[in-house]
Amino acid sequence: MADARRDETGLVLDRLRIAIGGTELVAVDATVRPGEVLTVMGPSGSGKSTLLSVVTGTVDPAFTVAGGVRVNGRELTGLPPEARRVGLLFQDELLFPHMSVGSNLAFGLNRGVRGRAARRARVEEALAEVGLEGFADRDPATLSGGQKARVALMRVLLSEPDALLLDEPFSRLDPDRRDRVRRLVFDRARAHGLPVLLVTHDAADARAAGERIIRLESS
Amino acid sequence: MTAFRRPRGAVPRLPALTLLVMLGPVAAGLFGTLAPALGVMPAIGRVEPTLAPFGDLASWPGFGAAMRLSLVTGLAATAASLAVVVMVAACWQGTRAFRAMERLLSPLLSVPHAAAAFGIAFLIAPSGWIARLVSPWATGWERPPDILIVQDPNGLALIAGLVAKEVPFLMLMTIAALGQVEARRSMAVARGLGYARHTAWLKTVFPRVYAQIRLPVYVVLAYSMSVVDVAVILGPNTPPTLSVQIVRWMGDPDLAMRLRAAAGAVVQLGLVAAALAAWRGAEALVAMWGRHWIRKGGRGGGEGLLRAAALAAGGVSAAAVILGLAGLAAWSVAGFWAFPDALPDGFTLRNWMRHGPGLGAPATETAIIAAAATAIALVLTIGCLEAEHRFGLRLSSRGLWLLYLPLLIPQVAFLPGLQILMLSFGVTSGTMAVILGHVVFVLPYVFLSLGDPFRAWDTRYATVAHALGAGPDRVLWTLRLPMLLAPVLTAAAVGIAVSVGQYLPTLLIGGGRVQTLTTEAVALAAGGDRRAIGIYGLAQTAAALLPFAVALAVPRLVWRNKAALAHG
């Protein structure tokens, strides 16, 4: 069994069951391969966000969780959030308002990239990758919604996560921007070979992600 | 939504340490008071428990009058302060005048009690500004009339001084509470049903607001009944309030008088407890009457007159502090100033040159004590709030009571005991002991100031940062504290203002040997050198106010290029 897991790639929700006060909220058993997108849909209160918090390690202790979560064969249960290497994008970009755009990216950039110049260059490169050359010294508050979304995406990717979680990440954008940002996120994730877990109540998100959809009922 | 970490390291121990630092001295002091009150004080060879100190206290001729004074001035000051605040809020909440008043509150609140009391004394004294402005044309006074206005035997001046200082405190608490009870929507609904503004406020908003400000009201009551510095300056002398008399006995060279002082402190504690219980009973009666009043459905009227009266009451209370400070300033630079001239013949810096050099040492001592006490309080407060965030070690509603406990137990009830204990164990009083004494009073205010903004911080920033690989310490130091720079500095300013204003802890724990701007200023009360009082009062006020200016300016400067934070 252990040997099998060593070769296992992607995000595995292994007979995951989340309950509160004896009521089962979520029951999932799924594997998301690198580059694949698994969409979880459901109305608010259906436990979508709770499912994400179980994966990120920030679930409220009121919930009881059974089963396991693995990334590339690594068991996440019991690990603190910062040790999970699971990237996260919320519907708000949550760029740190007291840091410049460049510092936000540097905050995310993996510690393995050493040296001031090398880190700076990596940040610039990331900005250029999403058409934001020269934005490093900008105040995040001065960016448009679409620009913020791109910075938030690159901040996650620079941390070199093993999986990507999206919590209704496009719902604050206006429709035509939403489309472009969505495509960018999925393209980047696929390019990095990341398994993606997308939580949304927007059918268009789900369609764009294509592939597989799990529906949660309201409870 | 947070998952709590397994408690590890120093942070999980901070809540317990905080309670110890805050309540330890209170408990020790109460014990240290109770023992000598029962005649036990080994330092002077008394080991046999007896009730004799209470008999001794009762035989003091001023006992009844001193108790009555404490009770009446405390209750009257609290009721009047609450009435002014409720009237102003009921008649003016949501208007531009109300917002203008809000901006005045923080500076008014930070003016030390002693400085405000001196300023008010300068206004209302027979030779004060008010008498000068109406003399001789209206009064015929060519020289100051020989009447006792300041230090009047009924304590009216003391009540006035307390009201002027407690109105800003209760108003600030009320405004904080208003934010939590959705006052605006309730008002809109009630006014849509035809209720006049103030009736709508009193019937729909006040009951919820009062539930939120109940503890602060109790603090005002306990404080007003047992205050020492304000009572020394504005209160009557023969007899003074019980608390002032206790401090006099504590300063008596005859150590046996400590027994009587301790008995007095126990009586003072009982008096405050009884008054709090009576207030609580009165709350129930008012609530019963209020429910009846609500059911009657009266819409209320006569709004104009009431609004004017409310504005006048609030205005007079604020003006008393502001004009009082102006009076201190005028005296500090006054040359020859004859009665009834409204202004001195000339202005001079001679007073400052004479007293200025003497300010240096107490000002330094004040700064050291305030900075150290505030730093300790900030570390403990942030530690507690962070422990709450990381491990779910949350203060329950009972915990909130604990936070208020050092403010509800009169200082004069446990500080004498602390001094007697230190005496018994041969602990040298000094700056270090005074700092720890100040922490007891600084901590609750720092905690109350920082708690709400700290908890209101969007923890999704932490979630995102953790997902990027940042641990909890990195999140605290590089995200949470920098983003909360403004409220952290404000809490620090509050702490410094509280420390600067402390009189009794400095006097009693310092054993009279630690001299701050406040102890020096209050010591001047007996002498009546108005120029010196003006200088010390102003210096004391500046020490309390400057940190607020810094707390406003620094975040703007540091975050000048960050639009989302520059105006927070």
Side-chain angles (χ1 to χ4, degrees):
Chain A
M1 187 85 177
D3 288 339
R5 280 185 196 170
R6 196 173 301 149
D7 311 325
E8 180 184 287
T9 55
L11 172 67
V12 178
L13 307 175
D14 187 2
R15 282 161 291 170
L16 193 62
R17 277 171 174 59
I18 308 171
I20 184 160
T23 317
E24 191 171 89
L25 206 55
V26 178
V28 197
D29 189 33
T31 300
V32 194
R33 300 275 167 221
E36 251 182 25
V37 181
L38 174 64
T39 304
V40 178
M41 285 197 68
S44 51
S46 61
K48 303 186 305 270
S49 296
T50 312
L51 173 61
L52 280 196
S53 69
V54 167
V55 182
T56 56
T58 53
V59 69
D60 191 293
F63 293 95
T64 48
V65 181
V69 181
R70 290 191 303 278
V71 177
N72 297 343
R74 201 158 51 86
E75 180 63 55
L76 296 188
T77 310
L79 288 180
E82 64 270 20
R84 295 187 171 210
R85 303 176 57 109
V86 169
L88 184 61
L89 284 178
F90 279 115
Q91 56 178 325
D92 299 304
E93 298 82 14
L94 297 169
L95 299 181
F96 306 130
H98 60 302
M99 298 178 183
S100 65
V101 167
S103 300
N104 264 280
L105 294 180
F107 187 98
L109 179 57
N110 195 294
R111 296 249 179 146
V113 181
R114 293 188 184 271
R116 207 190 170 90
R119 290 182 71 81
R120 176 86 197 184
R122 192 67 196 83
V123 165
E124 296 285 358
E125 198 181 307
L127 282 170
E129 222 179 303
V130 289
L132 293 174
E133 294 94 339
F135 272 61
D137 293 326
R138 289 277 291 270
D139 174 1
T142 64
L143 302 189
S144 73
Q147 291 169 333
K148 286 182 191 168
R150 280 180 272 163
V151 174
L153 171 65
M154 291 321 287
R155 183 174 64 178
V156 171
L157 294 180
L158 284 178
S159 74
E160 297 172 23
D162 292 336
L164 187 58
L165 308 187
L166 309 176
D167 190 357
E168 315 228 0
F170 316 116
S171 55
R172 289 282 177 91
L173 297 169
D174 52 60
D176 65 300
R177 265 213 199 104
R178 192 181 306 170
D179 214 38
R180 266 183 290 151
V181 172
R182 190 158 43 204
R183 215 168 321 125
L184 176 70
V185 171
F186 291 145
D187 284 352
R188 294 282 114 207
R190 227 166 266 136
H192 282 75
L194 292 177
V196 176
L197 186 60
L198 166 68
V199 150
T200 185
H201 64 249
D202 181 353
D205 280 349
R207 269 197 307 279
E211 307 175 40
R212 300 152 53 201
I213 298 177
I214 292 177
R215 281 173 206 284
L216 298 178
E217 303 305 320
S218 62
S219 55
Chain B
M1 194 147 35
T2 327
F4 298 128
R5 289 159 190 276
R6 236 167 291 129
R8 205 184 298 164
V11 175
R13 297 200 192 106
L14 285 176
L17 180 65
T18 302
L19 285 183
L20 183 74
V21 163
M22 201 169 66
L23 300 180
V26 180
L30 284 177
F31 169 78
T33 303
L34 203 57
L38 296 173
V40 179
M41 190 170 160
I44 55 168
R46 307 281 185 91
V47 288
E48 215 40 40
T50 159
L51 286 176
F54 286 99
D56 179 39
L57 176 70
S59 67
W60 170 57
F63 184 52
M67 283 206 302
R68 201 163 47 244
L69 260 179
S70 288
L71 207 58
V72 171
T73 53
L75 285 169
T78 310
S81 308
L82 183 61
V84 170
V85 168
V86 167
M87 258 170 62
V88 169
C91 293
W92 291 93
Q93 195 217 332
T95 65
R96 201 176 303 167
F98 194 75
R99 275 193 294 280
M101 237 175 318
E102 271 186 66
R103 276 195 287 276
L104 264 180
L105 282 179
S106 290
L108 278 180
L109 193 60
S110 56
V111 174
H113 279 85
F118 276 126
I120 288 168
F122 281 13
L123 282 183
I124 63 175
S127 61
W129 250 350
I130 293 172
R132 285 167 188 269
L133 285 178
V134 297
S135 299
W137 55 273
T139 58
W141 296 336
E142 295 290 346
R143 68 185 69 174
D146 187 17
I147 44 177
L148 208 54
I149 301 179
V150 175
Q151 304 190 326
D152 63 294
N154 291 317
L156 296 178
L158 173 55
I159 294 173
L162 286 169
V163 170
K165 268 305 291 172
E166 298 313 325
V167 162
F169 174 65
L170 285 182
M171 187 56 98
L172 204 70
M173 291 296 168
T174 301
I175 288 169
L178 282 173
Q180 294 180 13
V181 300
E182 297 204 41
R184 196 179 296 273
R185 297 212 311 210
S186 302
M187 286 292 284
V189 169
R191 296 194 75 188
L193 294 171
Y195 283 84
R197 178 195 292 272
H198 60 275
T199 317
W201 198 89
L202 288 174
K203 288 185 174 180
T204 67
V205 179
F206 179 66
R208 282 174 291 158
V209 165
Y210 189 78
Q212 301 265 341
I213 64 167
R214 171 179 277 136
L215 281 172
V217 169
Y218 293 174
V219 168
V220 169
L221 179 56
Y223 177 85
S224 301
M225 285 184 68
S226 59
V227 65
V228 171
D229 50 359
V230 181
V232 165
I233 296 163
L234 289 173
N237 254 320
T238 45
T241 61
L242 184 57
S243 52
V244 172
Q245 188 60 46
I246 292 168
V247 175
R248 283 190 194 163
W249 287 327
M250 285 301 293
D252 199 297
D254 177 6
L255 284 182
M257 292 303 271
R258 299 284 204 281
L259 300 183
R260 196 197 269 182
V266 171
V267 169
Q268 178 78 68
L269 180 64
L271 219 51
V272 168
L276 286 172
W279 189 276
R280 180 102 215 202
E283 275 173 12
L285 288 179
V286 170
M288 216 159 69
W289 173 83
R291 279 191 287 272
H292 174 68
W293 184 53
I294 289 171
R295 277 194 299 270
K296 280 202 304 193
R299 263 55 173 169
E303 203 181 313
L305 199 66
L306 209 69
R307 292 190 83 186
L311 196 63
V316 166
S317 137
V321 177
I322 296 167
L323 290 178
L325 289 179
L328 293 178
W331 273 107
S332 79
V333 292
F336 181 71
W337 193 353
F339 190 85
D341 301 345
L343 289 173
D345 285 351
F347 295 103
T348 168
L349 284 176
R350 227 181 43 225
N351 308 324
W352 282 94
M353 287 185 316
R354 198 169 84 211
H355 295 285
L359 278 176
T364 311
E365 189 86 277
T366 304
I368 290 171
I369 294 171
T374 302
I376 294 172
L378 259 185
V379 168
L380 291 173
T381 297
I382 292 172
C384 281
L385 290 167
E386 188 64 14
E388 174 182 312
H389 168 66
R390 286 189 201 174
F391 315 114
L393 303 169
R394 179 177 280 279
L395 267 182
S396 59
S397 64
R398 219 173 45 224
L400 196 65
W401 271 93
L402 292 179
L403 209 53
Y404 272 97
L405 207 58
L407 309 179
L408 287 172
I409 294 176
Q411 291 191 344
V412 79
F414 68 94
L415 289 175
L418 218 49
Q419 197 213 52
I420 293 169
L421 272 188
M422 287 166 66
L423 206 69
S424 307
F425 289 105
V427 181
T428 346
S429 49
T431 307
M432 205 48 228
V434 172
I435 289 170
L436 291 179
H438 279 212
V439 169
V440 173
F441 307 103
V442 170
L443 225 170
Y445 286 107
V446 169
F447 203 115
L448 291 173
S449 169
L450 188 57
D452 285 342
F454 196 94
R455 290 175 183 134
W457 186 70
D458 189 343
T459 52
R460 289 180 309 164
Y461 284 115
T463 308
V464 163
H466 289 320
L468 294 172
D473 290 331
R474 182 153 175 239
V475 168
L476 176 67
W477 291 108
T478 64
L479 297 183
R480 198 169 202 161
L481 291 180
M483 285 171 73
L484 293 175
L485 181 65
V488 167
L489 289 179
T490 301
V494 167
I496 290 172
V498 169
S499 170
V500 166
Q502 292 299 320
Y503 172 67
L504 208 54
T506 318
L507 182 77
L508 289 184
I509 301 179
R513 282 186 296 278
V514 175
Q515 277 144 9
T516 62
L517 290 172
T518 297
T519 60
E520 292 297 277
V522 177
L524 289 171
D529 177 350
R530 298 190 167 200
R531 291 174 178 82
I533 289 175
I535 286 170
Y536 273 88
L538 279 190
Q540 199 198 4
T541 306
L545 271 178
L546 270 181
F548 278 100
V550 173
L552 273 181
V554 166
R556 275 162 208 240
L557 213 63
V558 171
W559 300 139
R560 66 190 175 282
N561 295 327
K562 298 291 176 284
L565 292 163
H567 307 291

